[in-house]
Amino acid sequence: CLSHTHTALRQILDAFLIQTTRQAAMETNSLVTVHFINRNGERLTATAKEGESMLDVVVNQNLNIDGFGACEGTLACSTCHLIFEEDAFKQVDTVTDEEMDMLDLAYGLTDTSRLGCQVCIKKWMYGITVQVPMEVSDIRRQLEVGKQSKQ
Amino acid sequence: LPPQHHKLAEVDIYEKLPVPFGLVRFGVAPDHPEVKNVINTFTQTAHSDRCSYYGNVTVGKDVMVEELRQAYHAVVLSYGAEDNRILGIPGENLSGVYTARTLVGWYNGLPENRDLEPDLSSETAVVLGQGNVALDVARILLSPLDLLRKTDITENSLAALARSKVKRVCLIGRRGPLQVAFTIKEMREMINLAGTRPLLDPADFMGLGDALKDAPRPRKRLTELMVKTALEKPNEKEAGRWAAATREWGLTFFRSPLEILPAADGKRAGGIRMAVTRLEGSGETAKAVPTGEVQELESGLILSSIGYRSLPIDPSVPFDPKQGIVPNILGRVEGAPGLYCSGWVKRGPTGVIITTMNDSFGTAQSILEDLQSGTLALSDSKGGFGSLRSVLHSRGIWPTTFTDWEKIDAVEVAKGKAVGKPREKVVDPQEMLQLIGH
């Protein structure tokens, strides 16, 4: 039926568009689409430029992530903490002691955590998804509620 | 309350001093300008047309919390921890004994500490405490002047530090290397500080491996850094730097202060008597107990850095003197609907930017929930600052605005520019008020 054909056509068209956009992005050597999962689970998509840091992307594209990058990328806080998928994490440039020092103070630290200000956008990152650590006050809220019920 | 989470909320900020930013301006070390970048975000928020700043108003004196609660649907207390924990030992009042906080206030241009004129004639300084504030004061006392000259440290303190005789700073802790409170960034900075060398007793750092096995990553990395510095042979470059250093700093463990000893004149500090301690228990909760042995250390400059403490702001607000906080549940002040708290007064005086930031998000979240549940009734209209303006004026209080601050800011930046500093702070509140034509 018509709607089915329409959907199928639409899918082919979409796939074609994604493919060509991807190729165009790679050929022009500049634009890379990346996704962020915000604290509330919302998915934010941004078109990043190669060479920008993840923090630059959030700032330049006005992504609405509360308190992200408070020290403006100077390695003096851990508010731009991002969690990478394992495969992507392995490919990102190595981490310095100074970044590790700040990550030590991050909430919700994982084995694939990095600071967004220290990770530069590369072509291979096309389509990757990074996670903003879940709102930590939620975790603490549960803890405090637990504490209170004990008293 | 971030403007993005509520479309209509209006927020007025009251502050005791004419100028904003509190701890960021007066607590963060002058050689940590990157931490002060948070001021840019604060400024953005202050520029929102739903946010107003009223400086030069002391809540609890010029206006009472009860009056604020009548003028606003919600009031958030976020006044920090303005007092020190005290040592409570004899000799604490001798000249040459200061709290680290007053020294920090002095070099950062906090009006109430601007005339401190600390006695820096002692070669050895003792800092009691092993937290980040302790490291901050040690670093400022030992930094090469050329590094400090490019910061926003006050003119006055820069001149005093230029005459300083301090060559050695000992940071003293009651417990051991596994219980230090400072964080790794500050320790690494100290180890790398130009013109200085670390004095660490290898014996303190041997055999810590077992205890570290199950320690959380931050504790593990911090300890490994100290162990490496204390036990491993430095590389050639570092060895050269240490050999050429003219100043030094060290960590002394397992000492609890008993008494500050007077110098020969009986007025100035001459040294400190300490109880040697050992640990009972292990890990973060280990307790220091005296072994009975006593030790003395000569020093004419003793800085206590054993923590901050909040004070009650107003008799109508509940306060827990033991914990030094306003008792609250997730930022809601107990027994006072519509009254909230955030930051050090909510949680106690510890943590870095992200701790305080998340903490404020938590309180904002509580307010939003109370709005949604109807606990915060919006039915009565509230006058906000409009209803308090004339009351304040009748009491002789003329609040400063954010625009006023921007005038002071411009003057400070211009004065700083002339001498190669990011700013030269105005330290006298009267001068601040004159600059804005009050």
Side-chain angles (χ1 to χ4, degrees), chain A residues 64 66-67 70-72 74-76 78-79 97 100-105 107 109 136 140-141 144 148, chain B residues 4-5 34-35 37-38 40 183-185 188 217-218 221 329-330 354-355 357-359 361-362 366 369:
Chain A
N64 202 355
D66 282 341
C71 81
E72 304 183 352
T74 56
L75 275 178
S78 51
T79 59
D97 284 342
M100 290 281 270
D101 291 355
M102 291 324 299
L103 276 171
D104 276 357
L105 303 178
Y107 284 77
L109 187 67
V136 288
R140 201 182 44 232
R141 285 174 110 78
E144 285 190 23
Q148 244 117 47
Chain B
Q4 56 265 41
H5 293 298
E34 46 314 318
V35 178
N37 282 345
V38 297
N40 299 332
T183 47
I184 188 167
K185 174 184 187 271
R188 195 184 296 284
R217 176 178 135 173
R221 292 188 67 247
I329 299 171
L330 303 175
I354 195 161
T355 338
M357 188 184 85
N358 281 320
D359 182 65
F361 289 172
S366 292
E369 281 170 16

Side-chain angles (χ1 to χ4, degrees), chain B residues 234-388:
Chain B
N235 63 36
E236 208 175 310
K237 195 177 147 208
E238 198 158 48
R241 197 171 65 73
W242 289 356
T246 54
R247 294 174 166 189
E248 54 194 16
W249 59 274
L251 299 171
T252 306
F253 300 106
F254 306 113
R255 299 285 183 275
S256 176
L258 290 174
E259 181 181 359
I260 295 168
L261 306 165
D265 67 1
K267 288 178 191 147
R268 295 174 42 202
I272 182 162
R273 179 176 294 143
M274 302 170 293
V276 178
T277 64
R278 62 178 172 80
L279 286 188
E280 228 164 54
S282 64
E284 311 292 329
T285 54
K287 272 205 167 104
V289 292
T291 62
E293 206 183 321
V294 167
Q295 200 191 42
E296 287 177 12
L297 178 64
E298 238 177 82
S299 166
L301 176 58
I302 292 163
L303 301 155
S304 67
S305 182
I306 55 168
Y308 292 162
R309 204 170 60 123
S310 292
L311 293 176
I313 194 168
D314 181 316
S316 75
V317 179
F319 191 77
D320 176 348
K322 209 170 154 206
Q323 289 193 70
I325 59 167
V326 172
N328 69 90
I329 299 171
L330 303 175
R332 297 175 180 99
V333 177
E334 280 176 29
L339 190 60
Y340 301 84
C341 59
S342 176
W344 283 6
V345 81
K346 168 184 176 188
R347 191 174 33 83
T350 56
V352 292
I353 297 176
I354 195 161
T355 338
T356 305
M357 188 184 85
N358 281 320
D359 182 65
S360 67
F361 289 172
T363 296
Q365 179 71 27
S366 292
I367 298 174
L368 290 170
E369 281 170 16
D370 291 351
L371 276 171
Q372 212 161 23
S373 70
T375 319
L376 266 186
L378 296 183
S379 45
D380 337 335
S381 82
K382 299 280 191 175
F385 179 71
S387 65
L388 291 175

Side-chain angles (χ1 to χ4, degrees), chain B residues 170-191:
Chain B
C170 303
L171 296 112
I172 293 175
R174 287 177 306 154
R175 302 188 292 165
L178 291 170
Q179 285 82 29
V180 294
F182 47 70
T183 47
I184 188 167
K185 174 184 187 271
E186 281 72 13
M187 178 79 298
R188 195 184 296 284
E189 201 176 3
M190 199 73 221
I191 292 168

